[in-house]
Amino acid sequence: MIVDTHTHWGICWEDRYGSDPCNWLAVLDRHGIEKAVLMGHRGLTRNADIEKSNDIVADTAANSGGRLVPLATVHPDFGESCIRELERCLDQLGMAGVKLHPWLQGMSMAHPVMDDIARICGDRNVPVVFHDGTPVYSMSCQVGGLALKFPETTFVLGHAGLLECWRSALAFLNRCSNLYCSLCGPHLAAIQEILDGVDHRRIMWGSDFGFGWADPIEYRLNLMDHALLEDNSREMIMSGNAKRLFHISDDK
């Protein structure tokens, strides 16, 4: 099984297909990907549409026959409304965690409500996934700082530092046992450094498919094909770790 831990229900897909993922899933089928963690797009770029975006992501996952695992998004600037929306998504919509994109959403990881988000997700044993690798709001070290501050909460570096910040991601992955990463952005040499230096139980694979019409999946899979990795670790990274972290069952 392959689980893609970084996909989006892009605005272009939503505008054309509503909450019907059939054509979107057909792209995954071409690459042999059985399941995927689905994040929103509209809610990351339009703060007024966050609740609507969460509903659409949840509906799209519900229409996927169990193949898509939805994540919510929220914005700490909304204070108590942010917390209510997070609790609604986790407790009523059954979403498997939260995705935050501080660079697109224009938020600081030092926002006091970010602490509340971290505590709530820690209490419910669901991860906080961050876009990382983009200055100034989305640095891998900033996510690492939250991981140090909240050791009972699981955090995910959604891009493992991208092309420029992967060394910082690597450093914090080795400091924080509650920090995971998705290999969705670094070049092959950086991927190999991460594989050689980090506990394989906290590494996952992702493609970033779905933001637009482009298909980056083959490229991301080819990077992993060229990485030096034992078969048992490859299984963990391509599916096992994601299944454990996002509570994905084989028959779900």
Side-chain angles (χ1 to χ4, degrees):
M1 175 183 288
I2 299 176
V3 177
D4 190 335
T5 62
H6 198 128
T7 71
H8 291 273
W9 188 237
I11 291 173
C12 61
W13 291 88
E14 178 188 329
D15 286 347
R16 180 172 295 184
Y17 298 111
S19 58
D20 180 358
C22 289
N23 289 283
W24 190 98
L25 287 169
V27 179
L28 269 63
D29 290 338
R30 291 203 300 268
H31 301 285
I33 297 172
E34 290 89 340
K35 300 194 178 185
V37 176
L38 185 68
M39 310 169 195
H41 181 192
R42 189 179 299 275
L44 301 181
T45 60
R46 305 176 188 180
N47 292 337
D49 288 342
I50 284 176
E51 292 185 18
K52 175 184 176 182
S53 178
N54 287 330
D55 286 336
I56 289 173
V57 170
D59 288 344
T60 304
N63 292 332
S64 72
R67 295 184 63 185
L68 299 178
V69 179
L71 298 191
T73 196
V74 292
H75 199 300
D77 278 358
F78 291 99
E80 292 183 4
S81 295
C82 163
I83 298 306
R84 286 196 298 271
E85 176 63 7
L86 178 60
E87 291 176 335
R88 180 183 79 93
C89 289
L90 298 180
D91 299 339
Q92 298 179 29
L93 299 183
M95 296 177 123
V98 61
K99 162 66 182 291
L100 302 175
H101 199 309
W103 183 57
L104 279 181
Q105 292 178 284
M107 66 173 73
S108 170
M109 293 193 208
H111 195 296
V113 177
M114 193 71 75
D115 292 1
D116 297 321
I117 294 170
R119 291 190 187 98
I120 288 169
C121 290
D123 289 343
R124 286 163 173 76
N125 191 30
V126 297
V128 184
V129 180
F130 279 97
H131 169 90
D132 75 304
T134 308
V136 294
Y137 278 157
S138 293
M139 302 292 285
S140 306
C141 59
Q142 293 169 322
V143 183
L146 280 174
L148 290 171
K149 187 176 182 180
F150 295 97
E152 302 304 317
T153 302
T154 300
F155 298 89
V156 179
L157 299 171
H159 294 286
L162 288 174
L163 297 175
E164 302 295 335
C165 297
W166 62 268
R167 290 180 179 87
S168 175
L170 175 58
F172 276 93
L173 285 162
N174 280 322
R175 290 185 65 185
C176 307
S177 61
N178 59 324
L179 187 61
Y180 285 61
C181 73
S182 179
L183 297 177
C184 179
H187 49 70
L188 180 58
I191 287 174
Q192 193 64 58
E193 290 277 352
I194 293 169
L195 292 175
D196 291 343
V198 176
D199 183 350
H200 289 173
R201 292 172 295 181
R202 291 187 286 112
I203 303 174
M204 302 178 291
W205 176 81
S207 70
D208 212 11
F209 169 65
F211 254 124
W213 300 116
D215 177 5
I217 297 175
E218 183 175 3
Y219 169 70
R220 301 286 183 209
L221 287 173
N222 282 340
L223 287 175
M224 294 306 298
D225 287 342
H226 285 83
L228 301 177
L229 194 61
E230 297 290 337
D231 288 345
N232 60 332
S233 290
R234 190 175 298 275
E235 187 279 331
M236 285 194 294
I237 291 168
M238 300 305 291
S239 65
N241 296 333
K243 288 162 64 177
R244 184 182 75 254
L245 185 61
F246 294 103
H247 309 290
I248 301 172
S249 63
D250 289 330
D251 57 356
K252 189 173 181 179

